[in-house]
RNA sequence: GUCCCCAUCGUCUAGUCUGGCCUAGGACAUGGCCCUUUCAAGGCUAAAACACGGGUUCAAAUCCCGUUGGGGACACCA
């Protein structure tokens, strides 16, 4: 339940995030949704057939990865068709909607770069519109007031289930006459036709027909005045002139009911396209036990938004053999015809591969900026400390080639950030041996005479030690690596030394030599 | 219980609508080799699929029917 006072907090969130285009949020919240849409629609000339799509999440939890894909497909379709992408928040479930969830949705969309042209529009701001539409249906004998209580209905549903009968409203208030029972706030039910069939010409599934006897008299307006999903969506999609409803597969069964509502209301239905579900790696519905299912978790785990977008778009859509797409390539090539009908399993490995690809492509400066907060968060960099930007970007540059996520950069950067280095005991045992000690000392002496710590001069110095000692590159490199970084894996040695700089390199070498004693 | 959807390598998919070009292509992951100062990356290479059964046809991954399997929906949730 969102108390009215919280809506001020929400407005704060919205203006803070500045996610809205030309229409200011403050103004929107002052306006009713109705006047807003009257303005929009009056701006549109007659005969315009511009594509208008929407993403309409309910703010009852984090923004799910499947929701992001739905939003992405809508967004790409809108951009490809030079149409309009509307964001509508379906917050009519007062029990479960929260301002935090609204924020999570906006933040999530913002992170993956899906911007909207209109909205966010809140259904709870438009209650008068739904009521007016419901009244219209009642007046036309297409809907009726139902005085059955939730408890009664629950009992009947359970009975039907127990007797293995069809779970359907029995229609007892259809023909109710006489005075209204006192003390009961009625809900409004739709008179659902009980004969014929309703066909959905789905853009991805093809023609799907439903026997109308399967459909029952659904509630369109709850006793508390809130519209139910099917009604709110229909009224809004009609009024907002949505041309294509692209949404999850789980709504296919709702579509015939919605088409019937469009017809009763005298509105023309949009085109529908139902996207198959995203399943977990084990082929069952994606859930928390598969790991991250909220978009923002991917941000926290060091993924790049373009990698997630690229991964998600290939889950259920394809363009020949291509795997890697820039945003503009996606916009150019995205069409509804190439959407797959079957459900897809989420494969974290492939996402990781795409992420490492984009990590290599990315500008080091940008990555550096993304990594710093993560380092602070993980204690690799202390809160107040300042960084040499140029130096840090150089470090990021050598790490980004071998990191699959930003978190791996953080990990790889760690030995460069703090002194003294933590040396892995296993590595020390294997490589910092008595036998190699003389060579390390020789290297130390040689490096002491090197004044400019750059890749090429360091390489020359190192090679001279190899020549003197007769050691193979590999024999000396690993012990030195362990001495400098404390681990057996790192960027190239000469990059490491030049990044560490003269003082720290010599110091770490000395310390390793002492350690062997 | 009722209704709806789906079915190509382990996974994402191309091919299916408009049957022959399919000895089924690509990508991730996996194995091998090469490169190599480590780890990655990269290059080459291998293994790996038309769920099953019936039709239709000269010809079926592709069209039709059935079976099986998987998924979804049946709320005063969306």
């Amino acid at each position: 339940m969102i108390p009215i006072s919280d809506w001020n907090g929400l407005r704060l969130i919205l203006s803070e995030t500045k996610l809205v285009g030309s229409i200011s949020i403050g103004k929107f919240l002052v306006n009713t949704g109705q006047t807003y849409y009257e303005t929009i629609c009056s701006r549109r000339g007659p005969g315009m057939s511009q594509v208008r799509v929407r993403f309409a999440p309910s703010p009852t939890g984090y923004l799910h990865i499947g929701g992001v894909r739905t939003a992405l497909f809508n967004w790409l379709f809108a951009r490809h068709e030079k149409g309009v992408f509307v964001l509508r928040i379906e917050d009519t479930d007062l029990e479960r909607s929260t301002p935090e969830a609204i924020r999570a949705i906006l933040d999530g969309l913002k992170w993956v770069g899906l911007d909207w042209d209109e909205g966010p529009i809140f259904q709870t701001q438009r209650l008068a519109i739904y009521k007016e539409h419901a009244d219209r249906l009642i007046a036309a004998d297409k809907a009726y007031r139902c005085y059955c209580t939730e408890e009664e209905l629950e009992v009947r549903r359970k009975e039907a289930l127990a007797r293995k009968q069809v779970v359907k409203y029995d229609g007892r208030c259809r023909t109710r006459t006489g005075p209204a029972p006192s003390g009961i706030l009625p809900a409004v039910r739709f008179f659902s036709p009980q004969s014929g069939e309703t066909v959905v010409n789905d853009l991805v599934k093809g023609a799907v027909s439903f026997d109308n006897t399967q459909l029952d008299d659904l509630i369109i307006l709850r006793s508390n005045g809130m519209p139910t999903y099917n009604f709110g969506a229909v009224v809004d999609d009609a009024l907002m002139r949505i041309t294509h409803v692209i949404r999850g597969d789980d709504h296919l069964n709702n579509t015939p009911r919605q088409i019937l509502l469009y017809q009763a209301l005298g509105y023309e239905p949009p085109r529908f396209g139902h996207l198959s579900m995203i399943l977990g790696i084990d082929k069952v519905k994606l859930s928390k036990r598969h790991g991250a299912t909220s978009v923002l978790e991917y941000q926290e785990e060091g993924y790049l938004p373009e990698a997630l977008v690229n991964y998600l778009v290939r889950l259920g859509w394809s363009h020949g053999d291509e795997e890697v797409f820039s945003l503009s390539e996606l916009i150019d090539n995205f069409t509804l015809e190439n959407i797959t009908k079957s459900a897809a399993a989420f494969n974290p490995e492939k996402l990781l591969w795409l992420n490492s690809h984009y990590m290599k492509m990315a500008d080091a400066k940008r990555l550096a900026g993304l990594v710093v907060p993560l380092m602070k968060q993980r204690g690799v960099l202390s809160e107040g400390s300042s960084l040499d930007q140029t130096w840090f970007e150089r470090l990021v540059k050598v790490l980004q080639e071998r990191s699959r996520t930003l978190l791996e950069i953080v990990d790889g950067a760690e030995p460069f950030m703090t002194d003294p280095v933590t040396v892995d005991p296993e590595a020390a045992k294997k490589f910092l041996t008595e036998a190699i000690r003389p060579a390390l000392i020789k290297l130390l002496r040689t490096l002491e005479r090197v004044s400019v710590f750059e890749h090429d001069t360091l390489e020359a110095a190192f090679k001279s030690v190899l020549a003197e000692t007769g050691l193979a590159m590999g024999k000396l490199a690993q012990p030195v690596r362990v001495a400098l970084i404390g681990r057996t894996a790192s960027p190239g040695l000469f990059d490491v030394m030049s990044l560490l700089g003269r003082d720290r390199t010599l110091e770490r070498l000395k310390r390793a030599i002492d350690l062997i004693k």
Side-chain angles (χ1 to χ4, degrees), chain A residues 52-54 86 88 236-238 240-245 270:
Chain A
R52 294 176 57 84
V53 294
R54 73 342 187 248
V86 180
R88 185 173 71 223
D236 281 347
D237 286 338
M240 296 174 190
R241 308 277 167 94
I242 298 301
T243 56
H244 301 255
V245 170

Side-chain angles (χ1 to χ4, degrees), chain A residues 37 48 57 85 128-129 175 177 217 251 304-305 308 374 385 472:
Chain A
Y37 260 94
M48 274 176 71
F85 178 57
I129 301 171
T175 53
T177 49
D217 290 353
H251 292 300
L304 261 17
L308 189 64
L374 290 173
S385 64

Side-chain angles (χ1 to χ4, degrees), chain A residues 148-255:
Chain A
C148 300
T149 64
E150 287 186 65
E151 293 73 28
E152 288 167 1
L153 292 167
E154 185 59 29
V155 169
R156 282 180 234 164
R157 190 177 311 120
K158 281 196 177 135
E159 276 175 10
L161 224 45
R163 274 180 286 159
K164 305 212 169 196
Q165 286 177 339
V166 183
V167 188
K168 242 177 99 168
Y169 177 63
D170 59 13
R172 71 178 63 187
C173 289
R174 271 190 162 211
T175 53
R176 199 193 56 81
T177 49
S182 62
I184 300 175
L185 280 172
V188 179
R189 274 187 197 273
F190 178 59
F191 266 118
S192 198
Q194 289 301 299
S195 63
E197 61 170 26
T198 302
V199 177
V200 180
N201 283 307
D202 195 84
L203 290 160
V204 349
K205 307 277 186 191
V208 183
S209 60
F210 296 83
D211 199 326
N212 286 347
T213 54
Q214 290 296 322
L215 280 21
D216 61 352
D217 290 353
L218 71 158
I219 286 179
I220 56 175
L221 216 56
R222 284 176 266 203
S223 46
N224 68 358
M226 290 287 160
T228 53
Y229 164 69
N230 282 301
F231 193 59
V234 164
V235 170
D236 281 347
D237 286 338
L239 260 35
M240 296 174 190
R241 308 277 167 94
I242 298 301
T243 56
H244 301 255
V245 170
I246 300 162
R247 62 194 356 171
D249 218 353
D250 46 341
H251 292 300
L252 186 52
N253 288 292
N254 286 317
T255 311

Side-chain angles (χ1 to χ4, degrees), chain A residues 40 72-73 82 126 161 173 194 199 206 216 221 277 286 306 321 365 377 406 411 418 437 452-453 461 502:
Chain A
I40 290 289
L72 175 63
F73 279 28
K82 305 211 182 329
R126 298 164 53 78
L161 224 45
C173 289
Q194 289 301 299
V199 177
D216 61 352
L221 216 56
M277 308 268 84
L286 195 64
E306 60 267 38
D321 280 344
K365 197 180 205 119
Q377 200 180 305
L406 295 171
D411 179 62
T418 43
R437 194 160 177 266
V452 185
F453 261 51
R502 192 167 192 276

Side-chain angles (χ1 to χ4, degrees), chain A residues 289-303:
Chain A
R289 65 188 177 79
H290 292 104
T293 52
S294 152
V295 237
L296 265 9
E297 277 180 64
Y298 285 91
Q299 179 180 28
E300 284 164 19
E301 288 178 12
Y303 286 86

Side-chain angles (χ1 to χ4, degrees), chain A residues 75-95:
Chain A
W75 184 87
L76 285 173
F77 182 59
R79 292 292 171 264
H80 179 81
E81 300 289 339
K82 305 211 182 329
V84 175
F85 178 57
V86 180
L87 177 62
R88 185 173 71 223
I89 306 291
E90 308 216 326
D91 56 351
T92 55
D93 183 347
L94 301 183
E95 302 292 327

Side-chain angles (χ1 to χ4, degrees), chain A residues 230-497:
Chain A
N230 282 301
F231 193 59
V234 164
V235 170
D236 281 347
D237 286 338
L239 260 35
M240 296 174 190
R241 308 277 167 94
I242 298 301
T243 56
H244 301 255
V245 170
I246 300 162
R247 62 194 356 171
D249 218 353
D250 46 341
H251 292 300
L252 186 52
N253 288 292
N254 286 317
T255 311
R257 301 173 204 282
Q258 295 184 4
I259 288 177
L260 259 14
L261 282 171
Y262 278 101
Q263 288 168 352
L265 252 14
Y267 292 132
E268 191 180 339
R271 304 280 278 135
F272 293 96
H274 288 93
L275 271 23
S276 291
M277 308 268 84
I278 297 178
L279 308 175
I281 191 73
D282 50 3
K283 287 284 200 174
V284 305
K285 195 177 184 181
L286 195 64
S287 67
K288 280 183 217 76
R289 65 188 177 79
H290 292 104
T293 52
S294 152
V295 237
L296 265 9
E297 277 180 64
Y298 285 91
Q299 179 180 28
E300 284 164 19
E301 288 178 12
Y303 286 86
L304 261 17
E306 60 267 38
L308 189 64
V309 162
N310 197 147
Y311 178 71
L312 251 20
V313 81
R314 282 286 291 103
L315 226 46
W317 177 85
S318 63
H319 186 254
D321 280 344
E322 286 173 60
E323 293 288 350
V324 178
F325 300 89
S326 69
L327 218 46
S328 66
E329 284 169 335
L330 286 177
I331 292 169
D332 286 348
N333 295 316
F334 189 85
T335 60
L336 266 22
E337 290 82 68
N338 300 315
I339 293 177
T340 319
K341 289 177 171 187
S342 51
F346 189 91
N347 183 352
E349 297 278 3
K350 190 163 181 180
L351 170 60
L352 219 37
W353 170 74
L354 272 168
N355 205 65
S356 63
H357 168 80
Y358 283 104
M359 293 277 291
K360 289 187 207 8
M361 297 291 116
D363 175 53
K365 197 180 205 119
R366 173 188 168 215
L367 292 185
L370 293 172
V371 160
V372 168
L374 290 173
M375 289 203 308
K376 287 185 176 163
Q377 200 180 305
R378 309 215 158 216
V380 175
L381 187 67
S382 54
E383 210 40 67
S385 64
S386 67
L387 262 180
D388 178 338
Q389 274 307 314
T390 324
W391 174 81
F392 189 61
E393 276 165 36
R394 270 174 63 215
L395 175 60
V396 166
K397 205 164 214 153
V398 302
L399 289 171
Q400 73 183 104
E401 301 170 28
R402 59 196 84 228
S403 303
R404 295 182 301 177
T405 66
L406 295 171
L407 252 29
E408 287 185 10
I409 292 190
V410 172
D411 179 62
E414 208 242 31
F416 292 89
M417 307 306 291
T418 43
D419 280 295
V421 237
T422 321
V423 178
D424 171 37
E426 286 288 306
K429 198 178 161 204
K430 187 167 179 199
F431 292 106
L432 298 181
T433 61
E434 199 65 49
I436 204 71
R437 194 160 177 266
L440 290 179
I441 293 170
K442 200 169 275 294
L443 179 68
L444 178 64
R445 298 290 167 247
T446 310
L447 288 177
E448 275 169 347
R449 291 195 297 273
V450 176
S451 54
V452 185
F453 261 51
E454 280 170 3
H455 185 283
D456 292 357
T457 53
L458 289 164
E459 182 168 12
F462 198 92
K463 290 263 166 80
S464 76
V465 174
L466 290 181
E468 279 180 60
T469 57
L471 285 170
M473 179 75 185
K475 288 289 175 219
L476 186 56
Q478 278 306 77
V480 172
R481 191 183 313 281
V482 174
L484 296 181
I485 293 299
R487 315 174 177 183
T488 52
S490 82
L493 253 196
F494 311 124
D495 285 331
V496 168
M497 289 193 270

